[in-house]
Amino acid sequence: MKTIYHYSTVSEALNDLKNKGFTLDFNLHKETIIKNPNQFQIKHIYRYEGNTDPDEEATVYGIESNSGEKGVFVSGYSANSNDEVDRVLRDIFIEGRDY
C-alpha cells in the first residue's frame, strides 16, 4: 500500500519534499516542463484549499525528471496563475495516474 502524507500547510509539504531530495524549484524552470512534458513524472501532489481566502489555495507538486532531477512546483489558484505549466502538470498527473 502506498503511503499517503497529509500536511496542514504548504510549507510543511515543501519541507518534507526537500528532505526527500526534491530541491530544485521548477517554478524557475517551468519552460523546461512546458517544452518537454514527457520527460517528467509527478511523484507527489498536495492540494490546499483556503477556508476563507481563495488566495490561500495551492497545489504542491513533487516532480522528478527522467534524468533524476527532483524538484517542486507550487501552483496557486488566483486569477493570474492559470498559465500553461499548470495545464501541462495536470496532463502529466492524469497520464501517470494508476487506476
Side-chain angles (χ1 to χ4, degrees):
M1 184 166 141
K2 200 175 212 182
T3 304
I4 298 173
Y5 301 97
H6 297 279
Y7 304 101
S8 59
T9 67
V10 170
S11 295
E12 286 180 23
L14 290 172
N15 285 335
D16 190 58
L17 286 169
K18 183 177 180 180
N19 290 335
K20 292 178 179 175
F22 291 82
T23 57
L24 187 63
D25 183 350
F26 279 115
N27 288 78
L28 301 176
H29 304 281
K30 61 185 176 181
E31 290 300 318
T32 304
I33 295 172
I34 292 168
K35 292 178 182 177
N36 306 292
N38 59 338
Q39 294 181 10
F40 296 92
Q41 295 178 19
I42 294 176
K43 298 294 187 176
H44 302 275
I45 187 168
Y46 309 100
R47 183 171 178 191
Y48 297 90
E49 296 183 14
N51 291 331
T52 58
D53 185 355
D55 287 339
E56 294 176 1
E57 296 180 1
T59 302
V60 177
Y61 296 93
I63 301 170
E64 185 173 354
S65 72
N66 290 346
S67 64
E69 291 179 303
K70 292 182 179 180
V72 296
F73 185 86
V74 180
S75 174
Y77 291 109
S78 63
N80 62 357
S81 69
N82 187 15
D83 63 12
E84 189 174 357
V85 73
D86 291 320
R87 290 187 294 280
V88 169
L89 288 171
R90 283 191 296 269
D91 290 345
I92 292 170
F93 174 68
I94 291 169
E95 285 180 15
R97 198 172 0 176
D98 292 331
Y99 291 99

